Amino acid sequence: MPETGETPAHDSRDARAPREPATTPSREEPARSEPGSTARPGRVAAAWPVVPLLTALALWGWAVRHTDVSALDDYGLVSALHPTFWAGLAVLTAGFWFTVRDPRRRAGWPAAFVLGLLVMERATQAVLYPTPLYAWAWKHDAVIDHLLTSGGLQSADRLGDMAVYDQWPGFFAAQAALVRLLGVDNAAMYMAWWPLVSSVLLLLPLLLIYRTFTRDRRLIWTAVWLFCVGNWVGQDYFSPQSVAFALHLGVLAVVLRRYGRPGARDPRQRQAVWTVLLSVLVIAIVVSHQLTPGMLVVTLLALALTRRHRDWVPLVTTVVIFLAWCLTAALPFLSAAMPDMIRSVGDVGANVETGYGSTPTGAGAVATSWAARLLSASVLLLALAGVLRARELRRRALPLLLVAAAPLPMFVASSYGSEMIFRVLMFMLPGAAFFAAAALLPTSQTPASQMPAAQMPAAQMPAAQMPAAQMPAPHLPAARTPSLPPLRYAAWLSPLVLLAATLAFVPSYSGKDRVNYFPPGEVALVRQLFDQAPDDSLVVAANRNYPLAYEQYWRVDHYWFLEDTRTHVDDIVRDPAAVLARDMAGVEAPARAYFLLTQGQVANSEMNGQLNSAQLRRVRESVEGSPRFERVARNSAGVLYVLKPAS
């Protein structure tokens, strides 16, 4: 009985009154309907998201069946795609938006739409192209092939620019084991599907990170969607970076969820288990990639400087493992590269300058470049709007704001081959996408009872989970559920912004497929070269943008003349056959010197402002007409010559 003598709120009847039998139906109880009379419409209404999802996938399937990639132009896949692809992407985005905003829908529907998005984004190229994309992916396959055939990697002094793969071999060793496990000939058998696989791997750590700060399903899945469409940088291909980035997010998920305030930490034994898991993830990152550990260190340092995550165990663990690897296995490479790395510190211009051979040329290259820039700028501006608009969310999700800002100092630390700006954008994206989603949603509420205790304000923490020192006084009012202020712009603007970002992903990600795609004829031509090249032979090409460019790199040398000085390139353009013959004359028999010119090299040279089609045609015609060279093979994708032995 209550002490005040009041009747319990759940029963307004007199306690002395006799109760009706339990079998007697209440007056207010609705009449029972016949089986199936209302259940079927309810199930149909609950399952309506399947209509836009299947419609979008059907349109995508029709598009890939009617898309011809045999003659790509400077717009890459964008201009080649059948129009139904764009219609399917619009239907998928609209279905996702109206599904994720409906609280009555099950959580599985947003996940299904995100998976559909990844299929349309990342699997389209694997279905359309008969060979894997990206010269770098073929390069990584060559490293794995060497590991499988020789049983190990070689020292840095013998491999030159391939030394970095010997000092960080974790990814390649794991892939060699996977090739053996699957029973395939090489990694090229499955690496075309790697972008889809690596993107799906990111979903679990992303969900864990976002659920640390909110249980609002709309905010979580909209952030995941924006992350997927904003991640156009292209590091999801078959590379160590793709796996290292997933592990990086896994470390952040562990730290954010298990290393919180002292009042919310796990018992010491359980904390030791999480530290062991953290160490395993960090070791896998450190032995696989040279940049990601640095990004992880600066991010953990930023988190450790806040009171909420002032636990130095993750940071110290990462730094110790990172330094141990750098001072032992990676020391040969770092000793040679350290002077250049030190000189590049603070050289911001190296990250933004174009220079010779790296300026987009042609309407298609310029348009896709600007599409990528506008997409990234839009996500960052939306994130800024979300930070300014959502005051309560900004305070509660401060660690995610730090995750987004922490990679910025790396921009001035190194140019990373003029790619640091792209890597910084990629590592900023998990935090930026969260606040960008907050800018698109009309409201975002998180019940206090559903928030993790580690992230919950003291005023909202349940008494059973609250330390005694933080217990509020009994007379204090209950805290209100935090929410975002209502948007003042029209409700249709947010889905349009989401649709525009989703559509912009395609040119940003696939707009340079003319450079990245190598037809089967080009693969066959290069394979024919390495099948007949004796040991210590030399392969001369315009650039390294062709498949199998590093095939058998441990026994065949390479020279890409467009990477030489501008003066020497000009000499080659003026008198191609004579200058190339002189450059190739140092090869001693039985080794041979080959000149290879392929479709991929021409596309890369033209679209990146190296040599135009007329200059490359002059080089080919000069070599073709020279008595010093003999044509070995030719097809629609390229031509191969060999330098005749000197008489």
Side-chain angles (χ1 to χ4, degrees):
M1 294 292 293
E3 295 182 0
T4 59
E6 298 177 355
T7 304
H10 66 274
D11 192 353
S12 58
R13 297 175 299 177
D14 193 314
R16 294 169 296 180
R19 298 182 180 270
E20 296 178 0
T23 58
T24 303
S26 172
R27 294 180 182 178
E28 299 179 358
E29 181 180 354
R32 295 182 179 180
S33 57
E34 293 299 326
S37 61
T38 59
R40 184 175 302 171
R43 288 196 297 265
V44 171
W48 79 263
V50 75
V51 176
L53 179 60
L54 293 182
T55 301
L57 293 178
L59 291 172
W60 172 76
W62 177 271
V64 297
R65 286 177 57 89
H66 295 81
T67 296
D68 182 13
V69 296
S70 60
L72 297 176
D73 58 17
D74 287 354
Y75 291 90
L77 190 60
V78 178
S79 59
L81 282 169
H82 193 272
T84 54
F85 176 88
W86 304 99
L89 206 54
V91 170
L92 186 76
T93 306
F96 167 79
W97 177 256
F98 291 107
T99 299
V100 78
R101 293 185 70 237
D102 190 346
R104 297 170 298 177
R105 304 300 169 196
R106 294 182 178 180
W109 284 117
F113 276 95
V114 168
L115 290 176
L117 174 69
L118 291 180
V119 168
M120 295 185 69
E121 283 185 346
R122 264 76 180 187
T124 300
Q125 294 165 315
V127 175
L128 288 176
Y129 298 128
T131 58
L133 295 178
Y134 303 112
W136 291 97
W138 289 92
K139 179 179 182 180
H140 297 154
D141 179 50
V143 178
I144 297 168
D145 182 60
H146 181 221
L147 198 59
L148 289 170
T149 55
S150 65
L153 299 174
Q154 300 183 37
S155 59
D157 57 343
R158 296 188 59 187
L159 296 184
D161 61 350
M162 299 296 288
V164 65
Y165 300 107
D166 303 311
Q167 312 305 305
W168 285 272
F171 171 81
F172 305 105
Q175 292 299 325
L178 182 60
V179 168
R180 291 283 176 82
L181 180 65
L182 296 177
V184 296
D185 294 335
N186 49 49
M189 304 295 292
Y190 60 82
M191 67 184 185
W193 294 93
W194 195 258
L196 177 62
V197 174
S198 62
S199 298
V200 171
L201 289 177
L202 298 177
L203 294 182
L204 177 59
L206 271 179
L207 291 174
L208 291 176
I209 290 173
Y210 292 155
R211 284 175 60 87
T212 305
F213 304 102
T214 182
R215 292 295 178 90
D216 189 338
R217 190 179 65 192
R218 300 169 304 167
L219 181 58
I220 292 173
W221 285 106
T222 304
V224 172
W225 185 282
L226 283 174
F227 175 88
C228 292
V229 301
N231 190 20
W232 62 267
V233 175
Q235 294 304 310
D236 55 355
Y237 75 104
F238 188 70
S239 64
Q241 177 71 93
S242 63
V243 176
F245 186 53
L247 296 173
H248 170 86
L249 294 182
V251 171
L252 294 183
V254 172
V255 172
L256 292 173
R257 294 181 68 87
R258 295 301 175 181
Y259 292 86
R261 297 184 300 188
R265 290 185 57 181
D266 289 335
R268 184 169 300 180
Q269 291 182 347
R270 188 177 299 176
Q271 200 74 4
V273 174
W274 289 112
T275 302
V276 171
L277 174 61
L278 186 74
S279 301
V280 172
L281 295 176
V282 172
I283 291 173
I285 294 173
V286 168
V287 303
S288 299
H289 199 245
Q290 63 274 21
L291 175 64
T292 305
M295 290 289 191
L296 182 60
V297 167
V298 297
T299 304
L300 294 179
L301 178 61
L303 291 176
L305 295 178
T306 64
R307 185 172 64 176
R308 188 182 307 177
H309 288 85
R310 191 163 294 168
D311 193 322
W312 297 95
V313 172
L315 177 61
V316 172
T317 301
T318 303
V319 171
V320 169
I321 296 174
F322 187 26
L323 289 179
W325 185 263
C326 291
L327 297 176
T328 54
L331 187 59
F333 174 82
L334 291 176
S335 299
M338 189 60 67
D340 292 336
M341 295 171 62
I342 294 175
R343 282 193 297 268
S344 67
V345 174
D347 186 9
V348 180
N351 277 316
V352 295
E353 65 183 2
T354 54
Y356 173 67
S358 58
T359 305
T361 304
V366 173
T368 55
S369 177
W370 275 105
R373 296 176 186 178
L374 292 175
L375 177 57
S376 293
S378 299
V379 173
L380 294 179
L381 288 176
L382 281 175
L384 179 61
V387 169
L388 296 177
R389 172 174 171 253
R391 180 178 179 181
E392 176 64 24
L393 186 66
R394 179 176 69 241
R395 183 192 62 79
R396 176 159 33 94
L398 175 62
L400 265 186
L401 190 59
L402 296 176
V403 168
L408 286 172
M410 298 296 289
F411 185 70
V412 300
S414 173
S415 66
Y416 200 68
S418 299
E419 290 189 1
M420 183 61 76
I421 184 173
F422 304 112
R423 307 302 175 94
V424 168
L425 286 172
M426 184 178 68
F427 281 91
M428 291 177 63
L429 191 57
F434 182 81
F435 288 99
L440 291 179
L441 294 172
T443 57
S444 180
Q445 297 181 350
T446 302
S449 61
Q450 295 182 359
M451 289 180 59
Q455 306 299 331
M456 196 178 300
Q460 301 177 24
M461 192 178 299
Q465 302 180 20
M466 186 180 301
Q470 300 181 13
M471 293 284 286
H475 64 276
L476 291 179
R480 294 183 300 172
T481 300
S483 64
L484 299 177
L487 294 174
R488 297 185 181 275
Y489 42 78
W492 49 263
L493 185 57
S494 291
L496 285 182
V497 171
L498 190 68
L499 176 60
T502 305
L503 296 178
F505 171 86
V506 181
S508 303
Y509 186 77
S510 305
K512 293 186 177 181
D513 279 7
R514 184 192 167 209
V515 174
N516 298 323
Y517 167 57
F518 312 112
E522 188 170 357
V523 176
L525 182 68
V526 180
R527 199 176 298 278
Q528 181 179 350
L529 161 63
F530 287 103
D531 286 343
Q532 69 177 31
D535 289 350
D536 300 323
S537 293
L538 173 67
V539 177
V540 177
N543 52 54
R544 64 183 76 194
N545 192 63
Y546 55 94
L548 303 165
Y550 289 85
E551 184 77 1
Q552 303 178 23
Y553 61 90
W554 54 94
R555 70 175 191 88
V556 177
D557 294 328
H558 300 80
Y559 169 60
W560 300 285
F561 65 81
L562 285 178
E563 297 181 6
D564 211 326
T565 62
R566 183 58 184 263
T567 302
H568 192 69
V569 174
D570 292 339
D571 291 339
I572 293 176
V573 174
R574 279 193 298 267
D575 192 357
V579 177
L580 288 173
R582 186 174 67 244
D583 293 340
M584 301 163 63
V587 178
E588 298 181 358
R592 307 294 300 273
Y594 298 89
F595 176 69
L596 176 70
L597 189 61
T598 64
Q599 175 178 312
Q601 298 174 53
V602 174
N604 185 77
S605 178
E606 290 181 357
M607 293 188 66
N608 288 322
Q610 295 174 327
L611 296 179
N612 57 40
S613 57
Q615 292 170 317
L616 291 170
R617 185 167 55 251
R618 172 180 169 79
V619 171
R620 175 173 176 172
E621 292 174 350
S622 176
V623 173
E624 176 77 26
S626 173
R628 298 290 307 276
F629 290 90
E630 177 186 355
R631 189 173 67 208
V632 176
R634 180 178 64 182
N635 60 26
S636 59
V639 61
L640 174 65
Y641 302 94
V642 64
L643 182 68
K644 296 179 181 179
S647 57

